[in-house]
Amino acid sequence: MNKQQFGLIGLAVMGENLALNIESRGFSLAVYNRTGERTKAFVEGRGAGKRLVPTYTIPEFVAALERPRRIMITVQAGSPVDEVIAQLKPHLEPGDVVIDGGNSFFMDTERRSKDLAALGLHYIGSGVSGGEEGALHGPSLMPGGPKEGYEQIEPVFRAIAARAPDGDPCVAYIGPRGAGHYVKMVHNGIEYGDMQLIAESYDILSRGAGLTAGELHQVFAAWNQGELSSYLIGITADIFARLDPDTGQPLVNLILDEAQQKGTGKWTSQNALDLGAPIPTINAAVESRIVSAYKAERVAAAKVLHGPTARYRGDRQQLVQAVRAALYASKICSYAQGMALLRAASAEYGYNLHLGDLARIWRAGCIIRAQFLDKIRLAFARNADLANLLLDPEFKEAVQSRQAAWRRVVQTAVRLGIPCLAMSASLAYYDAYRSARLPANLTQAQRDYFGAHTYRRIDKEGVFHTEWV
């Protein structure tokens, strides 16, 4: 029997689409799923006539692969990954490569990487972004692990990755151990921020200024032709155009306002707190989803807690242009926070991340793909040691030129009683980052007052404590 070049375990939609993508690039595959019925249905259905070999036990699956074996796991993150690895280990040999293509927590990947390295196995934790469509036609790939292991899978990953507008494949070796899954985690945190900023812009224009779904479709379609051009802006325009076939109403107006989450945004916030890296826009996005889940409480509270009832009475077109500017400035701050977090993590965990490369591989395939990312790539090309995107000349000018409109939009939202947690967090971050002096001197005095935590002075060297009473 001919040996297959690549193996894939887990045939849910993502796994199926990745298998079809890999096969379409000229690689033969062995596939396995815990339930054999799914394996059979796949190879006789979507996989019919393709170079896909079905296997029904782990030993049969491993035996079907050429050495060194290259195996990708696409099962639910957490204990299912550990269970598959435990089943594989007795049948693998030193030099084999195991790839986790799920949204695993990066510390789990760190642990598994060390465990398998002790057996001579190469463990790759790879972020895969782009959803079902990306998996089938070309995702953005973020593989981390031993460089030797990556070199064995590089031909496959470069072949299946999305292509940026300049033809560059959206994949790069990220770094050792859990680096790939860490970067994917922060990518998802940035995604949360992007989505919340867009949602708040919609709320201000819809609830505040009364724009209809049809008008919002036109606004977002126009925005998608300029500096905000991105996958998320594009699909938002599409969403506003969709009518419910039963009622004829805009479908978006009929969807329950209760956003769900899978945990990667929360992990980003938790890790940023551990590292002492401020990411208020991403935190606000996570918190906004949490608040949305309190639907019943919010409905009850709306009956007894009152705020402004005024409608926006100014020029609606001027507000649309101001919101466009505010969204772009807020987005810059959100990405600045995400990239600064990646820099902090790189130093803390020894990942040696190249931030320009990350912006490069996010330009296509992934959910946050945007024209804007090429500007980030160029910013780090100009200065690889750039501490914060806000300090890059192009981004500094972009924010400063939009600052007046940005502040007007946040003021308008406050005046109308429309919550904009993420947009106001971006603005507050900008104001805090540009402040040479913050009120933390009072905070430190309070800490010294009640806990003798000491403080430093601006006029003398040393550490001081005052007997306040």
Side-chain angles (χ1 to χ4, degrees):
M1 175 182 174
N2 292 331
K3 301 290 186 180
Q4 309 310 305
Q5 296 168 291
F6 202 86
L8 189 139
I9 296 176
L11 294 173
V13 176
M14 282 291 287
E16 283 193 3
N17 285 352
L18 279 169
L20 292 172
N21 187 354
I22 294 167
E23 193 277 340
S24 73
R25 308 301 175 181
F27 300 95
S28 61
L29 276 88
V31 295
Y32 170 80
N33 194 75
R34 181 174 56 85
T35 54
E37 294 85 356
R38 182 179 286 274
T39 304
K40 187 172 186 293
F42 173 55
V43 297
E44 293 179 356
R46 297 179 71 199
K50 302 184 184 302
R51 293 195 298 169
L52 299 169
V53 173
T55 63
Y56 297 94
T57 68
I58 288 291
E60 180 190 5
F61 170 77
V62 174
L65 299 172
E66 66 181 21
R67 294 185 177 89
R69 302 172 182 93
R70 297 176 290 184
I71 298 169
M72 190 165 190
I73 302 170
T74 58
V75 301
Q76 186 178 353
S79 59
V81 178
D82 288 314
E83 291 167 9
V84 171
I85 291 172
Q87 294 168 8
L88 282 171
K89 281 196 298 188
H91 308 286
L92 300 181
E93 299 172 346
D96 289 346
V97 183
V98 178
I99 310 154
D100 175 10
N103 271 334
S104 289
F105 183 51
F106 80 102
M107 280 298 183
D108 286 339
T109 306
E110 292 274 341
R111 167 178 56 82
R112 294 167 185 149
S113 180
K114 292 173 184 174
D115 289 346
L116 294 186
L119 301 175
L121 302 173
H122 301 307
Y123 189 69
I124 302 290
S126 181
V128 178
S129 182
E132 298 171 13
E133 179 186 352
L136 182 61
H137 300 294
S140 173
L141 296 166
M142 295 154 257
K147 190 69 177 292
E148 183 181 348
Y150 172 69
E151 288 170 353
Q152 291 184 35
I153 66 168
E154 184 176 19
V156 179
F157 270 36
R158 287 181 64 86
I160 68 171
R163 291 293 188 274
D166 59 5
D168 196 22
C170 290
V171 59
Y173 173 69
I174 302 299
R177 307 180 316 279
H181 275 142
Y182 186 91
V183 166
K184 177 56 162 59
M185 177 187 78
V186 176
H187 164 284
N188 284 22
I190 293 171
E191 178 186 310
Y192 273 51
D194 256 359
M195 294 174 71
Q196 183 61 28
L197 290 169
I198 291 169
E200 291 174 5
S201 300
Y202 148 66
D203 203 19
I204 293 167
L205 294 175
S206 173
R207 185 152 53 123
L211 269 69
T212 66
E215 290 171 323
L216 288 164
H217 163 71
Q218 294 176 345
V219 166
F220 277 81
W223 287 359
N224 200 39
Q225 302 305 310
E227 75 276 8
L228 286 169
S229 175
S230 67
Y231 173 72
L232 285 170
I233 293 290
I235 68 170
T236 301
D238 291 344
I239 288 167
F240 288 130
R242 179 62 61 93
L243 300 179
D244 174 55
D246 297 325
T247 65
Q249 296 184 54
L251 181 58
V252 68
N253 294 347
L254 302 176
I255 296 174
L256 181 68
D257 55 318
E258 187 175 324
Q260 299 178 351
Q261 53 185 321
K262 292 185 177 180
T264 46
K266 179 184 71 174
W267 292 345
T268 305
S269 292
Q270 290 172 330
N271 180 256
L273 289 171
D274 290 339
L275 295 181
I279 55 166
T281 307
I282 295 170
N283 292 341
V286 174
E287 290 163 358
S288 294
R289 293 198 188 190
I290 294 170
V291 170
S292 79
Y294 286 77
K295 175 65 174 178
E297 286 188 37
R298 288 189 290 111
V299 170
K303 297 174 182 177
V304 296
L305 301 177
H306 304 295
T309 56
R311 204 66 179 270
Y312 180 75
R313 300 300 180 189
D315 185 296
R316 295 203 312 169
Q317 190 55 39
Q318 286 183 3
L319 181 63
V320 168
Q321 293 306 317
V323 171
R324 175 178 183 159
L327 176 56
Y328 190 63
S330 297
K331 180 185 178 82
I332 290 171
C333 282
S334 183
Y335 276 74
Q337 295 161 35
M339 301 309 275
L341 172 59
L342 288 165
R343 179 180 294 283
S346 183
E348 177 71 18
Y349 305 123
Y351 286 157
N352 192 30
L353 300 178
H354 297 279
L355 302 186
D357 275 351
L358 303 185
R360 177 180 63 79
I361 67 172
W362 290 343
R363 291 180 299 159
C366 68
I367 302 302
I368 65 171
R369 60 186 183 265
Q371 175 181 301
F372 168 80
L373 283 157
D374 209 45
K375 296 180 183 294
I376 296 180
R377 179 184 66 83
L378 293 172
F380 286 107
R382 287 190 288 269
N383 181 3
D385 298 321
L386 184 65
N388 191 293
L389 277 182
L390 291 171
L391 301 178
D392 174 76
E394 182 170 353
F395 285 114
K396 179 187 74 171
E397 190 281 329
V399 170
Q400 290 183 344
S401 65
R402 292 166 174 82
Q403 186 177 164
W406 192 11
R407 294 185 188 282
R408 273 201 313 277
V409 169
V410 172
Q411 289 166 353
T412 298
V414 172
R415 190 171 65 252
L416 298 177
I418 297 173
C420 57
L421 277 72
M423 190 174 288
S424 57
S426 278
L427 180 56
Y429 174 81
Y430 174 75
D431 283 337
Y433 192 70
R434 69 177 185 83
S435 294
R437 186 167 174 82
L438 291 168
N441 53 318
L442 177 58
T443 303
Q444 199 59 23
Q446 292 170 330
R447 295 182 73 246
D448 189 58
Y449 189 114
F450 64 67
H453 292 295
T454 73
Y455 56 87
R456 290 180 296 149
R457 295 173 59 115
I458 62 174
D459 59 343
K460 299 178 183 178
E461 291 295 324
V463 177
F464 299 87
H465 166 63
T466 292
E467 294 295 336
W468 296 92
V469 291

